[in-house]
Amino acid sequence: MDFLNKIQEIRAPMPEGTQLFSMDVVSLYPNIPQREAAFFNVNKHKITELKEAGIWRPPRRDLVEEAILHVMRDTLLQSEGRVYRQIKGVAIGAPSSVATAEIFMHVAFDKLRTCRHDAPLIYYRYIDDIFGIMTEGD
């Protein structure tokens, strides 16, 4: 509903050549590189930025760090009577995996945006689902 409300708020006529776009990261959770997800220690300030931007209301930093490290290092899977340790990505369905994915995507897209001199007219992101409006020349 949040997305629909945001779309309904767009009232201004769009310039000629305006294009809508959407993106989705395919299989984000099982493909978050664990080594790169250690970004937490060098990007702790991103949690504060997410909170200030109203994107995410995080718990205390030490709890987030503990959850991320637990999800990244201690996920066990069972299949056909055998137990496996997850060595790639994060567990789908684990609540802390959502926080890990949100921080990972924020950091990744923040890096990409700093490389560009322009920006979309409209840009909405929910974890790995992205919608935007570009005008001609963007």
Side-chain angles (χ1 to χ4, degrees):
M1 289 305 298
D2 182 55
F3 175 70
L4 293 175
N5 290 335
K6 287 178 179 178
I7 296 298
Q8 287 178 343
E9 291 174 7
I10 302 171
R11 297 284 182 215
M14 294 291 137
E16 191 169 324
T18 298
Q19 296 182 355
L20 306 177
F21 68 89
S22 66
M23 295 185 281
D24 177 60
V25 177
V26 177
S27 301
L28 172 65
Y29 290 84
N31 287 303
I32 293 175
Q34 289 191 352
R35 204 167 41 162
E36 285 183 32
F39 60 82
F40 186 83
N41 287 327
V42 294
N43 289 295
K44 288 182 180 179
H45 64 283
K46 295 293 183 188
I47 291 175
T48 304
E49 289 177 19
L50 288 170
K51 183 178 179 182
E52 289 171 357
I55 296 171
W56 183 48
R57 294 185 184 105
R60 294 189 335 251
R61 285 182 176 186
D62 60 323
L63 294 177
V64 174
E65 184 172 12
E66 182 180 340
I68 289 172
L69 294 175
H70 174 68
V71 169
M72 299 305 289
R73 296 181 184 159
D74 301 325
T75 300
L76 300 176
L77 311 164
Q78 184 176 356
S79 177
E80 298 180 8
R82 296 186 70 184
V83 177
Y84 301 90
R85 185 171 183 220
Q86 184 167 334
I87 59 171
K88 181 180 176 192
V90 296
I92 296 172
S96 53
S97 294
V98 176
T100 303
E102 177 63 36
I103 295 169
F104 182 79
M105 289 296 297
H106 180 77
V107 170
F109 271 81
D110 197 42
K111 284 181 187 176
L112 290 174
R113 283 197 303 246
T114 59
C115 296
R116 296 191 56 95
H117 65 281
D118 55 0
L121 183 62
I122 304 273
Y123 173 84
Y124 301 131
R125 181 179 62 80
Y126 178 73
I127 305 177
D128 67 331
D129 299 311
I130 299 161
F131 170 81
I133 299 175
M134 298 287 288
T135 56
E136 199 168 274
D138 284 346

